[in-house]
Amino acid sequence: MIPFLDLTRQHAALKGELMAAAERVLDASQFVLGGEGRALEAELAQLCGARHAVGVGSGTDALRLALTGLGVGRGDEVLTPAFSFVASATTILMAGATPVFVDVQPDTLTIDPEAMARALTPRTKVVMPVHLYGHPAAVDRIAAFAQARGLAVLEDNAQALGATWGDRVVGGWGDAACLSFYPTKNLGACGDGGMVVTTRDDVAERVRRLRHHGDTGRYQHVELGYCSRLDEVQAAWLRVKLRRLGEWTERRRHIAARYLAGLAGLPLRLPVERPGARHVYHLFTVRHPQRDALAKRLADAGVGTAVHYPRAVPDQPLFAADGERRWPEAYRAAREVLSLPCFPEMTDAEVDGVIDAVRRACEDLG
Ligand SMILES: *Cc1c(COP(=O)(O)O)cnc(C)c1O
């Protein structure tokens, strides 16, 4: 059996350090908005090349609070890809605004800059590129497009911490970016957590206030805020893991290179790494016209897989748009994508086992 993901391996290896970090927090007994959170904020701001980072309760809250921090509210439109995790769109609704779906580029499944230009209206306020699966969206073109029209860019960087586009780390291209520490992400907490990174002083200040009841200090509540902070135990654990992120990313890239060599020549569409991009392979996602049959054969061979995602976002019951013609690439992706096991603790023998199973399944399917 080769699992799709096995987090117990990571935690067994780090257990001593994680327990020591938890003990430090217990001894200090300051559980929210303390020193561990501030230290993690400084470390991640530096990694993303941004001036500020603000820890919050989840990646979803990071997007929602960043949107409000960028001044998005009722009557505004935000451009978001038609293919992503659902939170890239629902957070726009939570902020009181309207998501406007844009189709994705077929090679990376990230927002299509040309389709984005066509979706623009006088109400457009923000564009939200998602660095899906760990590959950067075309952020240079998107940032130039936004700047020329006075729009803000909010990067959904939940899946691509440490990826680069050109000479810059993603999360440092836009006005602000969100990070998610959902347990399965490349830097995963042992629970929920998220962060807003930004170079804009005004956005950082607003998000700091929004995460803590709209408080400017000493119980002065100047606006409707929320209760969404990153707690100290998670921050301390994330700091332990952050020290490994570089080597984990190298390991993900090694696994991906092994897959790309071993799966070449099959009737599969393999992930690409565009020139100028450094992919961090949060997911290694292939495409096959008979995706469900392929997944079934792999399951029978003892290989775990997952589908990210089985529906285009506007096709979710929540939105129920009739959108096959408007966002054809997103709808096609939803029928074809299949993620293979790709986590740093996998052995090379397991990677080779997946390659063999995929080769046999493809022969079977003809
Ligand atoms: C995980 C994820 C989120 C939400 O993060 P949570 O921490 O789970 O709230 C948002 N966008 C994308 C693309 C994600 O993968």
Side-chain angles (χ1 to χ4, degrees):
M1 290 294 293
I2 303 170
F4 175 68
L5 172 65
D6 181 3
L7 287 174
T8 65
R9 298 183 193 179
Q10 184 180 106
H11 295 125
L14 295 179
K15 199 164 183 177
E17 275 181 79
L18 294 173
M19 294 310 268
E23 214 167 289
R24 245 183 7 248
V25 174
L26 268 182
D27 289 345
S29 282
Q30 186 180 355
F31 296 112
V32 288
L33 300 179
E36 296 286 347
R38 280 193 296 275
L40 181 68
E41 287 173 348
E43 289 161 7
L44 284 170
Q46 192 186 17
L47 177 61
C48 295
R51 192 147 25 166
H52 309 280
V54 186
V56 296
S58 66
T60 302
D61 279 357
L63 285 174
R64 174 180 62 149
L65 300 187
L67 283 164
T68 306
L70 289 166
V72 170
R74 199 158 302 284
D76 294 330
E77 293 177 353
V78 177
L79 305 183
T80 188
F83 193 71
S84 183
F85 180 60
V86 73
S88 308
T90 50
T91 49
I92 298 166
L93 293 175
M94 291 175 200
T98 304
V100 173
F101 295 110
V102 176
D103 210 0
V104 291
Q105 299 186 284
D107 58 343
T108 55
L109 302 181
T110 54
I111 197 166
D112 180 344
E114 272 149 37
M116 202 173 73
R118 292 194 295 275
L120 201 68
T121 79
R123 292 169 171 242
T124 311
K125 187 126 183 191
V126 169
V127 299
M128 186 198 288
V130 179
H131 306 304
L132 198 73
Y133 304 153
H135 190 288
V139 262
D140 52 345
R141 281 178 71 185
I142 294 164
F145 169 91
Q147 197 172 20
R149 289 159 187 83
L151 310 174
V153 175
L154 172 58
E155 296 172 75
D156 180 341
N157 195 23
Q159 302 189 357
L161 181 58
T164 55
W165 180 254
D167 58 358
R168 231 183 291 171
V169 180
V170 299
W173 277 90
D175 292 81
C178 89
L179 306 179
S180 164
F181 309 124
Y182 184 76
T184 62
K185 300 286 160 77
N186 287 22
L187 179 66
C190 303
D192 278 309
M195 201 166 274
V196 175
V197 297
T198 178
T199 23
R200 277 179 52 176
D201 298 343
D202 61 324
V203 174
E205 189 183 334
R206 185 95 187 268
V207 173
R208 274 185 207 288
R209 192 163 90 194
L210 288 167
R211 74 173 169 179
H212 189 66
H213 308 284
D215 188 356
T216 54
R218 290 179 293 278
Y219 298 100
Q220 303 303 311
H221 303 278
V222 297
E223 67 173 327
L224 175 64
Y226 303 90
C227 177
S228 180
R229 289 133 343 191
L230 179 66
D231 74 70
E232 287 285 288
V233 177
Q234 296 305 340
W237 282 344
L238 286 164
R239 292 183 68 207
V240 170
K241 293 189 176 192
L242 182 56
R243 293 201 285 273
R244 270 78 180 189
L245 183 65
E247 80 199 52
W248 286 343
T249 300
E250 285 310 321
R251 183 71 201 148
R252 286 178 185 275
R253 289 179 56 80
H254 167 86
I255 293 165
R258 210 169 172 96
Y259 275 145
L260 290 170
L263 299 175
L266 294 176
L268 279 179
R269 194 159 177 168
L270 297 171
V272 301
E273 186 175 50
R274 284 196 191 143
R278 184 169 183 271
H279 196 327
V280 296
Y281 294 100
H282 169 57
L283 295 168
F284 187 94
T285 303
V286 302
R287 295 176 65 170
H288 191 280
Q290 291 171 268
R291 186 264 316 281
D292 293 336
L294 176 61
K296 168 77 168 59
R297 276 166 177 76
L298 291 175
D300 291 345
V303 173
T305 61
V307 175
H308 304 92
Y309 298 90
R311 281 173 181 265
V313 187
D315 189 39
Q316 289 291 345
L318 163 69
F319 294 104
D322 181 12
E324 175 88 55
R325 276 202 307 277
R326 294 174 67 193
W327 305 286
E329 294 298 342
Y331 279 63
R332 188 172 311 139
R335 286 192 297 269
E336 294 184 352
V337 290
L338 186 67
S339 303
L340 303 180
C342 183
F343 56 99
E345 299 78 16
M346 268 183 100
T347 64
D348 283 353
E350 286 177 315
V351 177
D352 293 343
V354 175
I355 291 169
D356 284 345
V358 173
R359 295 201 80 91
R360 267 181 276 119
C362 283
E363 272 166 32
D364 255 24
L365 291 169

